[in-house]
Amino acid sequence: MNSMKLKAYAKINLGLDVLRKREDGYHEVRMVMQMVNLYDRIELVKKKNSGIEVKTNLYYLPTNQDNLVYKAANLLIEEFQIKEGIQIHLKKYIPVSAGMAGGSSDAAAVLFGMNRMFHLGLSLEELMKRGIKLGADVPYCIMRGTALSEGIGEKLTSLPSVPSCKVLIAKPAISVSTRFVYENLKLQELNSHPDIDGIIENIKKKNITGMAERLENVLETVTIPAYPVIEDIKNVMKEQGALNALMSGSGPTVFGLFIEEKQAQAAWEKIKVKGLAKQSYLTTFYKVRE
């Protein structure tokens, strides 16, 4: 196997709660993670000569050790003393710096692909243990599907698939620093916390309405006051019939859940007309085979 093509899927958060700030500076979270059918494309090609070569379709992305795909490849090359080199062709479609774990998913795909290409024999659990060294979302991106994420993101519990619906994704023309959001999160001032258990219960019951009613993200308390366009996008989605709308991760991407495709299309058009989003996609939930 000298080459391999992979898909790296984006994620959204159906619920995101922050429990506390740990002594090591990390925040302890409790989140419901869900993948959607929006993905980057990655092609891995073996090289006879050693070294890592990264090529991307976006001029502003780093192609050195500052890119997570490079770090992922280097992690396995160093651990297993792989003599051959690797070319990584990365085509980005997931919005960058958008709260959708695009970089983490790319890194997860490289770990998964290189494990197979170089016959390293690592199980998914073993890949996930290595993934946490690259970022908190990487283990989930290896696992995929629907999951409860706890700790700093490394404690994962697989959940049943979410009922089908249309997912409208809209990213405004801004970038949000995850560090800024967490540094300005005032946990002691939060009036409420997401009903994570209620979200999980309704997923298990296949109750899309009950799940949607409980969508909540505590990081919105920081990001929306700083970037009101996020609330504007949420409001348009709800006005057009979304079951609910929520910011994903630390933002600024917003997603809305729709039963009717025509309502999702109407919201998409209105967001375009108002110029609220730089990138928008109408998609569905990604589901693992059960």
Side-chain angles (χ1 to χ4, degrees):
M1 191 182 294
N2 293 314
S3 68
M4 181 181 289
K5 293 181 178 179
L6 301 151
K7 294 176 181 177
Y9 289 86
K11 68 86 189 166
I12 56 175
N13 299 94
L14 301 175
L16 194 163
D17 196 10
V18 180
L19 305 180
R20 68 184 183 96
K21 187 174 182 180
R22 306 192 324 181
E23 292 71 25
D24 59 8
Y26 287 99
H27 285 79
E28 200 154 296
V29 295
R30 198 158 184 257
M31 310 181 288
V32 179
M33 312 277 270
Q34 174 63 48
M35 283 197 156
V36 294
N37 283 307
L38 169 64
Y39 50 84
D40 294 338
R41 292 184 178 273
I42 293 174
E43 184 176 11
L44 303 178
V45 182
K46 277 185 186 176
K47 297 195 305 173
K48 288 183 179 178
N49 300 327
S50 62
I52 302 166
E53 187 179 341
V54 178
K55 296 180 179 181
T56 84
N57 61 328
L58 300 180
Y59 71 90
Y60 52 83
L61 288 182
T63 55
N64 56 13
Q65 61 271 17
D66 293 328
N67 194 311
L68 275 178
V69 296
Y70 187 108
K71 290 181 179 178
N74 194 54
L75 187 152
L76 294 181
I77 285 171
E78 288 192 347
E79 180 181 351
F80 291 92
Q81 298 182 332
I82 297 169
K83 303 303 181 188
E84 296 158 289
I86 192 83
Q87 271 188 352
I88 304 171
H89 300 267
L90 170 60
K91 286 191 176 180
K92 289 291 295 179
Y93 300 99
I94 302 171
V96 177
S97 300
M100 300 192 76
S104 295
S105 194
D106 296 337
V110 170
L111 291 177
F112 180 85
M114 287 189 62
N115 181 48
R116 292 189 64 188
M117 282 183 74
F118 293 99
H119 308 290
L120 304 181
L122 297 171
S123 66
L124 281 184
E125 290 73 21
E126 289 168 329
L127 284 175
M128 288 160 68
K129 285 178 183 175
R130 286 157 178 82
I132 194 65
K133 298 175 184 176
L134 301 170
D137 285 340
V138 178
Y140 165 70
C141 292
I142 292 170
M143 180 182 187
R144 296 185 171 183
T146 311
L148 170 66
S149 172
E150 297 175 288
I152 62 168
E154 84 287 7
K155 297 176 184 175
L156 295 166
T157 305
S158 182
L159 297 172
S161 292
V162 175
S164 297
C165 70
K166 298 297 177 184
V167 184
L168 178 58
I169 292 165
K171 179 188 182 285
I174 54 174
S175 292
V176 175
S177 161
T178 300
R179 176 176 286 184
F180 164 80
V181 175
Y182 275 97
E183 284 179 352
N184 287 277
L185 179 65
K186 295 179 173 61
L187 282 172
Q188 68 280 3
E189 296 179 15
L190 292 177
N191 295 320
S192 66
H193 285 268
D195 182 8
I196 300 296
D197 290 333
I199 293 172
I200 293 170
E201 183 182 341
N202 280 278
I203 289 173
K204 290 178 177 177
K205 289 179 178 177
K206 302 294 183 187
N207 183 349
I208 187 72
T209 304
M211 182 200 81
E213 286 172 352
R214 291 166 174 79
L215 298 184
E216 190 176 351
N217 179 349
V218 297
L219 301 184
E220 287 188 341
T221 61
V222 178
T223 313
I224 287 178
Y227 305 98
V229 66
I230 294 168
E231 188 73 57
D232 294 340
I233 294 172
K234 288 179 63 177
N235 287 338
V236 169
M237 290 183 178
K238 291 176 186 177
E239 287 164 9
Q240 296 302 314
L243 295 173
N244 208 343
L246 192 70
M247 182 183 82
S248 184
S250 55
T253 301
V254 175
F255 68 90
L257 306 184
F258 295 81
I259 298 295
E260 300 291 336
E261 184 167 354
K262 63 182 180 181
Q263 293 177 321
Q265 290 281 3
W268 192 3
E269 291 300 327
K270 195 158 188 179
I271 287 166
K272 279 187 194 175
V273 169
K274 287 176 170 275
L276 297 176
K278 184 179 180 182
Q279 294 167 278
S280 53
Y281 307 88
L282 183 54
T283 185
T284 55
F285 290 134
Y286 169 90
K287 295 186 179 183
V288 295
R289 291 176 184 172
E290 294 182 335

